[in-house]
Coordinates of all heavy atoms in Angstrom, one line a residue:
V143 N 7.7 -4.1 8.6 CA 7.4 -4.9 7.4 C 8.2 -4.4 6.3 O 7.9 -3.4 5.6 CB 5.9 -4.9 7.0 CG1 5.6 -5.7 5.8 CG2 5.0 -5.3 8.2
G144 N 9.4 -4.9 6.1 CA 10.3 -4.4 5.1 C 10.9 -5.4 4.2 O 10.8 -6.6 4.4
E145 N 11.3 -4.9 3.1 CA 12.0 -5.8 2.1 C 13.2 -5.0 1.6 O 13.1 -4.1 0.8 CB 11.0 -6.0 0.9 CG 11.6 -6.9 -0.2 CD 10.5 -7.2 -1.2 OE1 9.6 -7.9 -1.0 OE2 10.7 -6.6 -2.3
G146 N 14.4 -5.3 2.2 CA 15.6 -4.5 1.9 C 15.4 -3.1 2.4 O 15.1 -3.0 3.6
S147 N 15.6 -2.1 1.6 CA 15.4 -0.8 2.1 C 14.0 -0.2 1.8 O 13.7 0.9 2.1 CB 16.4 0.1 1.4 OG 16.2 0.2 0.0
V148 N 13.1 -1.1 1.3 CA 11.7 -0.7 1.0 C 10.8 -1.3 2.0 O 10.9 -2.4 2.4 CB 11.3 -1.2 -0.4 CG1 9.8 -1.0 -0.7 CG2 12.1 -0.6 -1.5
T149 N 10.0 -0.4 2.6 CA 9.0 -0.9 3.5 C 7.7 -1.1 2.8 O 7.1 -0.2 2.2 CB 8.7 0.2 4.7 OG1 10.0 0.4 5.3 CG2 7.7 -0.3 5.6
I150 N 7.2 -2.3 2.8 CA 6.0 -2.7 2.1 C 4.8 -1.9 2.7 O 4.7 -1.8 3.9 CB 5.7 -4.2 2.2 CG1 6.8 -5.0 1.6 CG2 4.4 -4.5 1.5 CD1 7.2 -4.8 0.2
G151 N 4.1 -1.2 1.8 CA 3.0 -0.3 2.3 C 3.3 1.1 2.4 O 2.5 2.0 2.4
D152 N 4.6 1.5 2.4 CA 5.1 2.8 2.5 C 5.2 3.4 1.1 O 6.3 3.5 0.6 CB 6.4 2.9 3.3 CG 6.9 4.4 3.4 OD1 6.1 5.3 3.2 OD2 8.1 4.5 3.7
L153 N 4.1 3.7 0.5 CA 4.1 4.1 -0.9 C 4.7 5.5 -1.2 O 5.2 5.7 -2.3 CB 2.7 4.1 -1.5 CG 2.2 2.7 -1.9 CD1 2.0 1.8 -0.7 CD2 1.0 2.8 -2.8
N154 N 4.8 6.3 -0.2 CA 5.4 7.7 -0.4 C 6.8 7.7 0.1 O 7.5 8.7 -0.1 CB 4.5 8.8 0.1 CG 4.4 8.7 1.6 OD1 4.9 7.8 2.3 ND2 3.7 9.7 2.2
G155 N 7.3 6.7 0.7 CA 8.7 6.6 1.1 C 9.1 7.5 2.3 O 10.2 7.8 2.5
D156 N 8.1 7.8 3.1 CA 8.4 8.7 4.3 C 8.7 7.9 5.5 O 8.9 8.5 6.6 CB 7.2 9.7 4.5 CG 6.0 9.0 5.0 OD1 5.9 7.7 5.1 OD2 5.0 9.7 5.3
G157 N 8.8 6.6 5.4 CA 9.2 5.8 6.6 C 8.0 5.3 7.4 O 8.2 4.7 8.5
E158 N 6.8 5.7 7.1 CA 5.6 5.3 7.8 C 4.5 4.7 6.9 O 4.5 5.1 5.7 CB 5.0 6.5 8.5 CG 5.9 7.2 9.5 CD 5.2 8.4 10.2 OE1 4.0 8.4 10.4 OE2 5.9 9.3 10.6
V159 N 3.8 3.8 7.4 CA 2.6 3.2 6.7 C 1.4 3.8 7.3 O 1.1 3.5 8.4 CB 2.6 1.7 6.7 CG1 1.4 1.2 6.0 CG2 3.9 1.1 6.1
N160 N 0.7 4.7 6.6 CA -0.4 5.4 7.1 C -1.4 5.8 6.0 O -1.3 5.3 4.9 CB 0.0 6.7 7.9 CG 0.9 7.6 7.1 OD1 0.7 7.7 5.9 ND2 1.9 8.2 7.7
T161 N -2.4 6.7 6.4 CA -3.4 7.0 5.4 C -2.9 7.8 4.2 O -3.6 7.8 3.2 CB -4.5 7.8 6.1 OG1 -4.0 9.0 6.8 CG2 -5.3 7.0 7.2
K162 N -1.8 8.4 4.3 CA -1.2 9.0 3.1 C -0.9 8.0 2.1 O -1.2 8.2 0.9 CB 0.1 9.8 3.5 CG -0.2 11.0 4.4 CD 1.2 11.6 4.7 CE 1.0 12.8 5.7 NZ 2.3 13.3 6.2
D163 N -0.4 6.8 2.5 CA -0.1 5.7 1.6 C -1.4 5.2 1.0 O -1.5 4.8 -0.2 CB 0.7 4.7 2.3 CG 2.0 5.2 2.9 OD1 2.8 5.7 2.1 OD2 2.1 5.2 4.1
L164 N -2.4 5.1 1.8 CA -3.7 4.6 1.4 C -4.3 5.5 0.3 O -4.8 5.0 -0.7 CB -4.7 4.5 2.6 CG -6.0 3.8 2.4 CD1 -5.8 2.4 2.1 CD2 -6.9 4.0 3.7
T165 N -4.2 6.8 0.5 CA -4.7 7.7 -0.5 C -3.9 7.6 -1.8 O -4.5 7.5 -2.9 CB -4.5 9.2 0.0 OG1 -5.3 9.3 1.2 CG2 -4.9 10.2 -1.0
L166 N -2.6 7.5 -1.7 CA -1.8 7.3 -3.0 C -2.2 6.0 -3.7 O -2.3 6.0 -4.9 CB -0.3 7.3 -2.6 CG 0.3 8.6 -2.3 CD1 1.8 8.4 -1.9 CD2 0.3 9.5 -3.6
L167 N -2.4 4.9 -2.9 CA -2.7 3.6 -3.6 C -4.1 3.8 -4.2 O -4.3 3.3 -5.3 CB -2.7 2.5 -2.6 CG -2.9 1.1 -3.1 CD1 -1.9 0.8 -4.2 CD2 -2.8 0.1 -2.0
S168 N -5.0 4.4 -3.6 CA -6.4 4.6 -4.1 C -6.3 5.4 -5.4 O -7.0 5.1 -6.4 CB -7.3 5.4 -3.1 OG -7.5 4.7 -2.0
Q169 N -5.5 6.5 -5.4 CA -5.3 7.3 -6.6 C -4.7 6.5 -7.8 O -5.2 6.5 -8.9 CB -4.5 8.5 -6.3 CG -5.1 9.5 -5.4 CD -4.2 10.6 -4.9 OE1 -3.0 10.5 -5.0 NE2 -4.8 11.7 -4.5
R170 N -3.7 5.7 -7.5 CA -3.0 4.8 -8.5 C -4.0 3.8 -9.1 O -4.1 3.7 -10.3 CB -1.8 4.2 -7.9 CG -1.1 3.2 -8.8 CD -0.7 3.8 -10.2 NE 0.4 4.7 -10.0 CZ 1.7 4.4 -10.1 NH1 2.0 3.2 -10.4 NH2 2.6 5.3 -10.0
I171 N -4.8 3.2 -8.3 CA -5.7 2.2 -8.7 C -6.8 2.8 -9.6 O -7.3 2.3 -10.5 CB -6.3 1.4 -7.6 CG1 -5.2 0.5 -7.0 CG2 -7.5 0.6 -8.0 CD1 -5.6 -0.2 -5.7
A172 N -7.2 4.1 -9.2 CA -8.2 4.8 -10.0 C -7.6 5.4 -11.3 O -8.4 6.0 -12.1 CB -8.7 6.0 -9.2
G173 N -6.3 5.2 -11.6 CA -5.8 5.6 -12.9 C -5.1 6.9 -12.8 O -4.6 7.4 -13.9
W174 N -4.9 7.5 -11.7 CA -4.2 8.8 -11.5 C -2.7 8.5 -11.7 O -2.2 7.4 -11.5 CB -4.4 9.4 -10.2 CG -5.8 9.9 -9.9 CD1 -7.0 9.4 -10.4 CD2 -6.2 10.8 -8.9 NE1 -8.1 10.0 -9.8 CE2 -7.6 10.9 -8.9 CE3 -5.5 11.6 -8.1 CZ2 -8.3 11.8 -8.1 CZ3 -6.2 12.5 -7.2 CH2 -7.6 12.6 -7.3
D175 N -2.0 9.6 -12.1 CA -0.6 9.5 -12.2 C 0.1 9.8 -10.9 O 0.8 10.8 -10.7 CB -0.1 10.4 -13.3 CG 1.4 10.3 -13.6 OD1 1.9 9.2 -13.3 OD2 2.0 11.2 -14.1
A176 N -0.2 9.0 -9.8 CA 0.3 9.3 -8.5 C 1.7 8.7 -8.4 O 1.9 7.5 -8.7 CB -0.6 8.6 -7.5
A177 N 2.6 9.5 -8.0 CA 4.0 9.0 -7.8 C 4.1 8.1 -6.5 O 3.7 8.6 -5.4 CB 5.0 10.2 -7.7
I178 N 4.5 6.9 -6.7 CA 4.6 5.9 -5.6 C 5.9 5.1 -5.7 O 6.5 5.1 -6.7 CB 3.4 4.9 -5.5 CG1 3.4 4.0 -6.7 CG2 2.1 5.7 -5.3 CD1 2.4 2.9 -6.6
V179 N 6.3 4.5 -4.5 CA 7.4 3.6 -4.5 C 6.8 2.3 -5.0 O 6.1 1.6 -4.3 CB 8.0 3.5 -3.1 CG1 9.1 2.4 -3.1 CG2 8.5 4.8 -2.6
E180 N 7.1 1.9 -6.3 CA 6.5 0.8 -6.9 C 6.7 -0.5 -6.1 O 5.8 -1.4 -6.0 CB 7.0 0.6 -8.3 CG 6.6 1.7 -9.3 CD 5.1 1.7 -9.7 OE1 4.4 0.6 -9.5 OE2 4.6 2.7 -10.1
A181 N 7.9 -0.7 -5.6 CA 8.3 -1.9 -4.9 C 7.5 -2.1 -3.6 O 7.4 -3.2 -3.0 CB 9.8 -1.9 -4.6
A182 N 6.8 -1.0 -3.1 CA 6.1 -1.1 -1.8 C 4.6 -1.3 -2.1 O 3.8 -1.4 -1.1 CB 6.3 0.2 -1.1
A183 N 4.2 -1.3 -3.3 CA 2.7 -1.3 -3.6 C 2.0 -2.6 -3.7 O 0.8 -2.7 -3.5 CB 2.5 -0.5 -5.0
D184 N 2.7 -3.7 -4.0 CA 2.1 -5.0 -4.1 C 2.1 -5.6 -2.7 O 3.0 -6.4 -2.3 CB 2.9 -5.9 -5.1 CG 2.3 -7.3 -5.2 OD1 1.1 -7.5 -4.8 OD2 2.9 -8.2 -5.7
L185 N 1.1 -5.3 -2.0 CA 1.0 -5.6 -0.5 C 0.8 -7.1 -0.2 O 1.1 -7.6 0.8 CB -0.1 -4.8 0.2 CG 0.1 -3.3 0.0 CD1 -1.0 -2.5 0.6 CD2 1.4 -2.8 0.6
N186 N 0.1 -7.8 -1.2 CA -0.1 -9.2 -0.9 C 0.8 -10.2 -1.7 O 0.7 -11.4 -1.6 CB -1.6 -9.6 -1.2 CG -2.0 -9.4 -2.6 OD1 -1.2 -8.9 -3.4 ND2 -3.2 -9.8 -3.0
G187 N 1.7 -9.6 -2.5 CA 2.7 -10.3 -3.1 C 2.3 -11.2 -4.3 O 2.9 -12.2 -4.7
D188 N 1.1 -10.8 -4.9 CA 0.6 -11.6 -6.0 C 1.1 -11.1 -7.4 O 0.7 -11.6 -8.4 CB -0.9 -11.7 -6.0 CG -1.6 -10.4 -6.3 OD1 -0.9 -9.3 -6.4 OD2 -2.8 -10.4 -6.3
G189 N 2.0 -10.1 -7.4 CA 2.5 -9.6 -8.6 C 1.7 -8.5 -9.3 O 2.0 -8.0 -10.4
E190 N 0.6 -8.1 -8.7 CA -0.3 -7.1 -9.2 C -0.6 -6.0 -8.2 O -0.6 -6.4 -7.0 CB -1.6 -7.7 -9.7 CG -1.5 -8.7 -10.8 CD -2.9 -9.3 -11.2 OE1 -3.9 -8.6 -11.1 OE2 -2.9 -10.5 -11.6
V191 N -0.9 -4.8 -8.6 CA -1.3 -3.8 -7.7 C -2.8 -3.5 -8.0 O -3.1 -3.0 -9.1 CB -0.5 -2.5 -7.8 CG1 -1.0 -1.4 -6.9 CG2 1.0 -2.8 -7.5
N192 N -3.7 -3.8 -7.1 CA -5.1 -3.7 -7.4 C -5.9 -3.5 -6.1 O -5.3 -3.2 -5.0 CB -5.6 -4.9 -8.1 CG -5.3 -6.2 -7.4 OD1 -5.3 -6.3 -6.2 ND2 -5.0 -7.3 -8.2
T193 N -7.2 -3.6 -6.1 CA -8.0 -3.4 -5.0 C -7.8 -4.4 -3.8 O -8.1 -4.1 -2.7 CB -9.5 -3.4 -5.3 OG1 -9.9 -4.6 -6.0 CG2 -9.9 -2.2 -6.3
K194 N -7.2 -5.5 -4.1 CA -6.9 -6.5 -3.0 C -5.8 -5.8 -2.1 O -5.9 -6.0 -0.9 CB -6.4 -7.8 -3.6 CG -7.5 -8.6 -4.3 CD -6.9 -9.9 -4.9 CE -7.9 -10.6 -5.7 NZ -7.4 -11.8 -6.3
D195 N -4.9 -5.1 -2.8 CA -3.8 -4.5 -2.0 C -4.4 -3.3 -1.2 O -4.0 -3.0 -0.1 CB -2.7 -4.0 -3.0 CG -2.1 -5.1 -3.7 OD1 -1.5 -6.0 -3.1 OD2 -2.2 -5.1 -5.0
L196 N -5.3 -2.6 -1.8 CA -6.0 -1.5 -1.1 C -6.8 -2.0 0.1 O -6.7 -1.3 1.2 CB -7.0 -0.8 -2.1 CG -7.6 0.5 -1.6 CD1 -6.6 1.6 -1.4 CD2 -8.6 1.0 -2.7
T197 N -7.5 -3.1 0.0 CA -8.2 -3.6 1.1 C -7.2 -4.0 2.2 O -7.4 -3.7 3.4 CB -9.0 -4.8 0.7 OG1 -10.0 -4.4 -0.3 CG2 -9.7 -5.5 1.8
L198 N -6.1 -4.7 1.8 CA -5.2 -5.1 2.8 C -4.5 -4.0 3.5 O -4.4 -4.0 4.8 CB -4.1 -6.0 2.1 CG -3.1 -6.7 3.0 CD1 -3.8 -7.7 3.9 CD2 -2.1 -7.5 2.1
L199 N -4.2 -2.9 2.8 CA -3.6 -1.7 3.4 C -4.6 -1.0 4.4 O -4.3 -0.6 5.5 CB -3.1 -0.7 2.4 CG -2.4 0.5 2.9 CD1 -1.2 0.1 3.7 CD2 -2.0 1.4 1.7
S200 N -5.9 -1.0 4.0 CA -6.9 -0.4 4.8 C -7.0 -1.2 6.2 O -7.1 -0.6 7.2 CB -8.3 -0.5 4.1 OG -8.3 0.3 3.0
Q201 N -7.0 -2.5 6.0 CA -7.1 -3.4 7.2 C -5.9 -3.2 8.1 O -6.0 -3.1 9.4 CB -7.2 -4.8 6.8 CG -8.5 -5.1 6.2 CD -8.6 -6.5 5.5 OE1 -7.5 -7.1 5.3 NE2 -9.8 -7.0 5.3
Y202 N -4.7 -3.1 7.5 CA -3.4 -2.9 8.3 C -3.5 -1.6 9.1 O -3.1 -1.5 10.2 CB -2.3 -2.9 7.3 CG -0.9 -2.8 8.0 CD1 -0.3 -3.8 8.6 CD2 -0.3 -1.5 8.1 CE1 1.0 -3.7 9.2 CE2 0.9 -1.4 8.7 CZ 1.6 -2.5 9.2 OH 2.8 -2.3 9.9
I203 N -3.9 -0.5 8.4 CA -3.9 0.8 9.0 C -5.0 0.8 10.1 O -4.8 1.5 11.1 CB -4.2 1.9 8.0 CG1 -2.9 2.0 7.1 CG2 -4.6 3.2 8.6 CD1 -3.1 2.9 5.9
A204 N -6.1 0.1 10.0 CA -7.1 0.0 11.0 C -6.7 -0.9 12.2 O -7.5 -0.9 13.1 CB -8.4 -0.6 10.3
G205 N -5.6 -1.5 12.1 CA -5.1 -2.3 13.2 C -5.5 -3.7 13.2 O -5.3 -4.4 14.2
W206 N -6.0 -4.2 12.1 CA -6.3 -5.6 11.9 C -5.0 -6.4 12.0 O -3.9 -5.9 11.6 CB -7.0 -5.9 10.6 CG -8.4 -5.4 10.6 CD1 -8.9 -4.3 11.2 CD2 -9.5 -5.9 9.8 NE1 -10.2 -4.1 10.9 CE2 -10.6 -5.1 10.0 CE3 -9.6 -7.0 8.9 CZ2 -11.8 -5.3 9.4 CZ3 -10.8 -7.2 8.3 CH2 -11.9 -6.4 8.5
D207 N -5.1 -7.7 12.3 CA -3.9 -8.6 12.4 C -3.7 -9.1 11.0 O -4.0 -10.3 10.7 CB -4.2 -9.7 13.4 CG -3.0 -10.6 13.6 OD1 -1.9 -10.1 13.3 OD2 -3.2 -11.7 14.1
V208 N -3.1 -8.3 10.1 CA -2.7 -8.7 8.8 C -1.2 -8.4 8.5 O -0.7 -7.6 9.2 CB -3.6 -8.0 7.7 CG1 -5.1 -8.4 7.8 CG2 -3.4 -6.5 7.8
E209 N -0.7 -9.2 7.6 CA 0.7 -9.0 7.3 C 0.8 -8.4 5.9 O 0.0 -8.8 5.0 CB 1.5 -10.3 7.3 CG 1.8 -10.8 8.7 CD 2.7 -12.0 8.7 OE1 3.6 -12.0 7.9 OE2 2.5 -12.8 9.6
L210 N 1.7 -7.5 5.7 CA 2.0 -6.9 4.4 C 3.2 -7.6 3.7 O 4.2 -7.8 4.4 CB 2.2 -5.4 4.5 CG 1.1 -4.6 5.2 CD1 1.4 -3.1 5.2 CD2 -0.3 -4.8 4.5
G211 N 3.1 -7.8 2.4 CA 4.2 -8.4 1.7 C 4.2 -9.8 1.7 O 4.9 -10.6 1.3

């Protein structure tokens, strides 16, 4: 699931979408100053980074049939 050189959902830029990314997104939404790849954070493409993206990422990591981006 990629967009150019950015993989949607890979918030830490390590080339994988996993629970590390989920943790970073949770921290960002909670207001922490978590360093993330901004272009990878809007998982549903609605122009906002919020709990909808967090839910979608959780489902993706759990193996649900969802698309990111």
Side-chain angles (χ1 to χ4, degrees):
V143 180
E145 181 178 285
S147 63
V148 173
T149 300
I150 302 300
D152 181 16
L153 276 72
N154 63 356
D156 68 355
E158 299 180 31
V159 178
N160 55 33
T161 55
K162 293 176 186 176
D163 304 299
L164 189 63
T165 299
L166 284 173
L167 186 54
S168 297
Q169 292 171 341
R170 175 55 71 92
I171 290 170
W174 294 25
D175 187 23
I178 64 170
V179 177
E180 294 288 339
D184 181 16
L185 303 174
N186 63 355
D188 67 356
E190 299 180 31
V191 176
N192 55 32
T193 56
K194 292 177 185 177
D195 301 299
L196 186 63
T197 299
L198 190 59
L199 186 57
S200 297
Q201 292 170 340
Y202 181 83
I203 290 170
W206 290 29
D207 186 20
V208 297
E209 288 189 32
L210 304 181

